[in-house]
Amino acid sequence: MKTRNMMQGKFKVLTLSYKNAPIAVREAVSLNEIGCRNLLDKVKEFTNCTEAMVLSTCNRTEVYYTADEGYANELVKLIALEKGFIATKKIQPYFESITDHEAAMTHLFRVALGLESQVVGDMQIMNQVKNAYQWAIEADAVGPFMHRLLHTVFNANKLAVNNTNFRDGAASVSYATVEMVEELTANLVEPRVLLIGVGDIGRDVCLNFQKSCINHLTILNRTHHKAVELAQRVGATTAYWENVWVEIEKADVVISSVPGDCFFISEDKLGQFPNVGKPKLFLDLSMPRSIDVALENIPGVSVYNIDAIKNRTTEALELRLASIPAVEQIIADSVSEFQVWANENAFTPVIQQFKSHLEQIRQQEIARYLKKLSAEEAQLVEAITQSMLNKIVKLPAIELKAACQRGNVSELSESLSALFNLEKETCPNR
């Protein structure tokens, strides 16, 4: 990754999401933390992107980056390389490249605030964006532009939380999961629910069960103490990981958020259970999936994946939907505010060049007459000419700042540079 002026590259995003890609495709390109970090290293090594961030969730895989040119094809190939397959023709059509600077920024805001989530307003996505940002920082893949942009996103989220109903209630994927369990077990007496995995989404699902009519919840996790800590908070019971199959057999509902490359519930395994004909519900929140869809070949078994968890009609969700225009206005204002900052940082080097150009002239002219002046006179001339220089620089600085508001700062910066031949004299390497 090249070291360059932070505003030379335009902000872009390569995105694949549930909106245009089926779960099998999303699964094929889904990246865990190690995969995201590895992809960042590949982007730095094989492209001229100045900054980059990788975001991968159950609903989307995206690369945000700054560069003068688009790298959509290269990034798709790098994702395929990281996932271990060579052919990209099958996944390429599902990726969208947003190369318009402002549109790409707006997309990041919409994703981070939950407007693009499968369940609108999903609170989990903000934590996922923060993790992606942290990984990019640790990879030395972000600079001043994306640092400022991400913090503007975080501030916009705070405004949405404090000034709208968009984060009220529990209209999230985790809440929708609990709501679905209640609906599907309405005819069962004291249904037994098993929750496997206490990562972000598993933990959120568990916390939402506190407000549920479900009374028998068992939590199971590879790291047992994490399951115990969460169970104590919500009044659930726990089981050890080595008893996972016993617990699955006992449960009426099994919710898994453990990635399928770590744990998998297959048709063959379930078919070995003594009470194989017992009705059982499976909800798969994992990516990659951890529950075999072929389980539905077994009588009485139903499987629901993340795509089956649609927006639930709740009062909280209705409040969120009604708040969307207010959130969109917060985003529009935040993007506009950020753009002013970005433009000001774009013209700052021009002003510095202009000031240096004038300072060079001032020093040359003073040097011609210093020998003829006394110490007091030299000091007076120094003060007068320095004051004149500052006043001369002030006017174009004010005009450039005003140009930021009008959106034509680039034209004015170029005119100033051309007028005083700044690039040639002060920026020979640009």
Side-chain angles (χ1 to χ4, degrees), residues 355-365 389 425-426:
K355 188 172 183 178
S356 296
H357 178 79
L358 295 182
E359 176 63 19
Q360 185 179 6
I361 295 173
R362 188 182 77 87
Q363 292 287 355
Q364 289 173 347
E365 292 303 308
L389 185 148
E425 294 195 13
T426 62

Side-chain angles (χ1 to χ4, degrees), residues 95 159 162 164 219 262 280:
F95 280 96
L159 292 174
N162 295 331
T164 75
I219 306 171
C262 300
K280 201 178 293 287

Side-chain angles (χ1 to χ4, degrees), residues 186-420:
N187 296 325
L188 296 179
V189 178
E190 299 295 327
R192 301 175 64 88
V193 178
L194 174 64
L195 178 65
I196 305 175
V198 294
D200 286 344
I201 192 167
R203 182 171 79 19
D204 288 346
V205 168
C206 188
L207 293 174
N208 275 298
F209 267 115
Q210 292 181 93
K211 303 175 183 177
S212 170
C213 59
I214 302 293
N215 296 317
H216 296 288
L217 175 65
T218 300
I219 306 171
L220 196 149
N221 192 63
R222 285 186 185 275
T223 307
H224 186 65
H225 76 85
K226 291 184 178 180
V228 172
E229 290 171 2
L230 190 56
Q232 290 173 345
R233 287 183 63 185
V234 302
T237 59
T238 61
Y240 287 99
W241 184 261
E242 50 264 34
N243 297 325
V244 60
W245 297 109
V246 174
E247 295 299 326
I248 289 174
E249 184 178 2
K250 291 193 306 186
D252 298 301
V253 180
V254 177
I255 305 170
S256 176
S257 61
V258 179
D261 50 7
C262 300
F263 174 72
F264 193 73
I265 303 174
S266 67
E267 180 187 10
D268 290 343
K269 186 69 177 180
L270 198 68
Q272 298 172 16
F273 286 5
N275 299 322
V276 68
K278 176 186 174 182
K280 201 178 293 287
L281 300 170
F282 289 87
L283 279 73
D284 191 351
L285 308 181
S286 311
M287 185 60 67
R289 287 170 287 180
S290 60
I291 299 174
D292 192 349
V293 292
L295 261 59
E296 291 199 328
N297 294 329
I298 301 173
V301 174
S302 299
V303 179
Y304 300 87
N305 61 37
I306 195 78
D307 284 355
I309 303 175
K310 304 296 182 182
N311 287 357
R312 314 300 292 181
T313 305
T314 63
E315 181 180 350
L317 183 56
E318 289 172 358
L319 283 171
R320 291 186 177 198
L321 293 173
S323 298
I324 286 177
V327 175
E328 289 178 331
Q329 186 59 54
I330 288 173
I331 290 175
D333 292 343
S334 297
V335 170
S336 178
E337 177 185 333
F338 176 82
Q339 196 61 46
V340 170
W341 171 86
N343 286 339
E344 288 180 357
N345 277 273
F347 78 67
T348 297
V350 177
I351 290 296
Q352 291 301 322
Q353 293 163 21
F354 179 49
K355 188 172 183 178
S356 296
H357 178 79
L358 295 182
E359 176 63 19
Q360 185 179 6
I361 295 173
R362 188 182 77 87
Q363 292 287 355
Q364 289 173 347
E365 292 303 308
I366 288 178
R368 292 172 60 186
Y369 299 102
L370 271 181
K371 293 180 180 179
K372 302 176 182 180
L373 301 177
S374 65
E376 286 186 7
E377 290 172 331
Q379 189 175 4
L380 183 59
V381 168
E382 174 72 22
I384 293 172
T385 55
Q386 185 64 62
S387 176
M388 291 172 63
L389 185 148
N390 291 336
K391 289 180 178 178
I392 292 170
V393 172
K394 185 177 181 180
L395 183 58
I398 292 173
E399 286 299 321
L400 281 169
K401 200 160 190 176
C404 288
Q405 307 292 337
R406 301 193 300 269
N408 61 347
V409 66
S410 178
E411 297 173 8
L412 200 55
S413 294
E414 290 174 3
S415 298
L416 186 63
S417 296
L419 185 61
F420 290 93

Side-chain angles (χ1 to χ4, degrees), residues 14-52:
L14 176 74
T15 174
L16 177 149
S17 75
Y18 73 94
K19 289 189 173 183
N20 53 17
I23 192 168
V25 175
R26 303 203 307 274
E27 191 174 59
V29 300
S30 176
L31 298 164
N32 58 19
E33 177 180 344
I34 294 174
C36 290
R37 291 179 182 273
N38 288 344
L39 181 58
L40 279 171
D41 290 339
K42 289 180 174 66
V43 172
K44 289 171 63 179
E45 182 176 358
F46 296 109
T47 74
N48 285 327
C49 297
T50 53
E51 302 180 63

